[in-house]
Amino acid sequence: MQTWQLGLCNGSSRKRKTDSFQKTDDPVITSPQVIAAFKVFQQELDTRHDKYERLVKLSRDITIESKRTIFLLHRVTSVPSVEDVLNEADIKLDGVRQKIGQIAEELRGDDLYQFHKAFTSGIQEYVEAVSFNHFIRHRTLVSLEEINACLVFMREEKMETKVTGEELNPRTCVLTFQVTPTDYLLGVADLTGELMRMCISSVGNGDVDTPFELSNFLRDIYDGFSYIGNMGPYEVSKKLHTLKQSLGKVEDACYMLRVRGSEIPKHMLADVFSSRTALLDQDEGVA
């Protein structure tokens, strides 16, 4: 008898709890303040999402224009006027910087790392293009400080009075964009692949001095990355293997030039190195 009464009590209590959960006229849930607060949250999330999508689009544009600049710079090994190619590349890079200036405007007042994933690929491609252009001109590696020094933008802001709403003279403000050390390192690591292609192209055009110069430069970069090793960001350690492959291909080309350069006609050197590179790629794939 007591057990039956206890079961009825438990059942009635569970029923009352279920009924309480099904109520929709809770004054807390239907409070205008709560609804207004969640509407604000919705607007903030929508604004953040829209900004993220705009940054992704800008990053794609930067990537495309940077790749076009790199393709243009590869022509320096086969054209009579290198300066014309470099000047055209400078114009393209100026256009890329204007895109980066739009990113700086989007990030005004926000933390860069909140949206870093949206544009990191484009910035890495820009670093690759700028460092490639700098190497062709000066035969040195561009520094992070030199890259950031070019990413300073002047913008004019319209000013209005709070009382009458009349427009005042526009005010000039300064916007800056800072390339992160990780994006810089990843862009430099991608540069080594372009230098390897430049090495093969130079040999095909009869230039037997550039490969040895590129070999020394790539070896210095590889030594620098080796000091970082696994202590740096994960993405940087992943690039180390690709960097080593590029260095190995350039060193192999230098070996062929030094040992068998006099045996192979200059117009056939590019074909020999291309087939040699294909064999190395197959061996690495099997390994």
Side-chain angles (χ1 to χ4, degrees):
M1 187 66 178
Q2 293 178 354
T3 305
W4 178 75
Q5 290 178 350
L6 181 60
L8 288 177
C9 292
N10 291 336
S12 60
S13 64
R14 284 196 296 269
K15 185 177 181 181
R16 285 195 298 271
K17 291 180 180 178
T18 305
D19 293 340
S20 65
F21 288 138
Q22 292 177 351
K23 290 181 180 179
T24 57
D25 55 350
D26 193 333
V28 176
I29 298 177
T30 58
S31 173
Q33 292 82 359
V34 175
I35 296 175
F38 274 90
K39 286 185 177 180
V40 173
F41 299 155
Q42 179 186 5
Q43 292 176 356
E44 291 179 355
L45 291 174
D46 289 343
T47 302
R48 177 185 174 87
H49 179 74
D50 293 342
K51 179 178 292 190
Y52 189 92
E53 292 300 323
R54 290 194 298 270
L55 291 173
V56 169
K57 185 179 183 302
L58 287 171
S59 178
R60 290 172 183 167
D61 295 340
I62 292 172
T63 300
I64 293 172
E65 292 301 323
S66 297
K67 286 184 179 296
R68 289 174 178 171
T69 304
I70 293 172
F71 296 154
L72 172 65
L73 290 171
H74 275 295
R75 292 171 51 195
V76 298
T77 59
S78 59
V79 296
S81 179
V82 176
E83 195 64 28
D84 292 341
V85 175
L86 294 177
N87 291 334
E88 186 177 352
D90 288 338
I91 295 174
K92 287 183 175 294
L93 288 175
D94 286 337
V96 176
R97 293 188 187 97
Q98 295 305 315
K99 294 289 185 181
I100 297 178
Q102 295 180 30
I103 292 180
E105 289 183 1
E106 290 285 353
L107 295 176
R108 185 188 302 183
D110 293 321
D111 185 5
L112 179 143
Y113 289 96
Q114 288 185 352
F115 302 93
H116 183 247
K117 189 177 180 180
F119 56 83
T120 177
S121 59
I123 298 302
Q124 292 173 27
E125 200 71 31
Y126 167 73
V127 171
E128 181 182 356
V130 169
S131 57
F132 193 28
N133 183 41
H134 188 274
F135 174 81
I136 295 174
R137 284 184 179 276
H138 307 287
R139 291 309 197 224
T140 58
L141 179 64
V142 65
S143 65
L144 177 60
E145 290 74 17
E146 291 174 316
I147 293 178
N148 286 331
C150 297
L151 300 179
V152 180
F153 311 97
M154 308 297 292
R155 295 289 187 269
E156 290 187 353
E157 288 184 336
K158 294 182 178 180
M159 302 293 295
E160 295 182 355
T161 59
K162 295 182 179 180
V163 180
T164 60
E166 296 179 356
E167 291 188 3
L168 302 177
N169 293 330
R171 183 184 65 177
T172 302
C173 64
V174 180
L175 293 177
T176 60
F177 183 88
Q178 297 293 312
V179 177
T180 63
T182 300
D183 288 342
Y184 170 75
L185 290 174
L186 293 175
V188 171
D190 292 334
L191 168 68
T192 58
E194 304 303 330
L195 295 179
M196 183 269 295
R197 296 180 185 90
M198 182 181 179
C199 171
I200 304 302
S201 300
S202 299
V203 173
N205 293 305
D207 184 3
V208 296
D209 296 326
T210 299
F212 294 96
E213 185 179 4
L214 292 173
S215 177
N216 294 328
F217 182 72
L218 287 175
R219 194 174 295 113
D220 292 338
I221 294 180
Y222 179 75
D223 291 341
F225 273 85
S226 298
Y227 286 128
I228 299 175
N230 295 327
M231 301 298 293
Y234 173 71
E235 296 84 358
V236 175
S237 60
K238 285 175 57 179
K239 295 282 187 178
L240 190 60
H241 177 67
T242 305
L243 197 160
K244 187 176 181 180
Q245 287 180 335
S246 299
L247 175 60
K249 293 173 183 178
V250 173
E251 288 180 337
D252 185 74
C254 293
Y255 169 79
M256 293 286 291
L257 283 174
R258 186 69 71 186
V259 176
R260 299 186 56 193
S262 59
E263 303 174 1
I264 305 173
K266 288 187 176 181
H267 67 278
M268 296 180 59
L269 286 174
D271 296 333
V272 173
F273 291 146
S274 298
S275 60
R276 176 71 176 173
T277 301
L279 290 174
L280 289 175
D281 291 338
Q282 291 179 359
D283 294 340
E284 291 170 357
V286 172

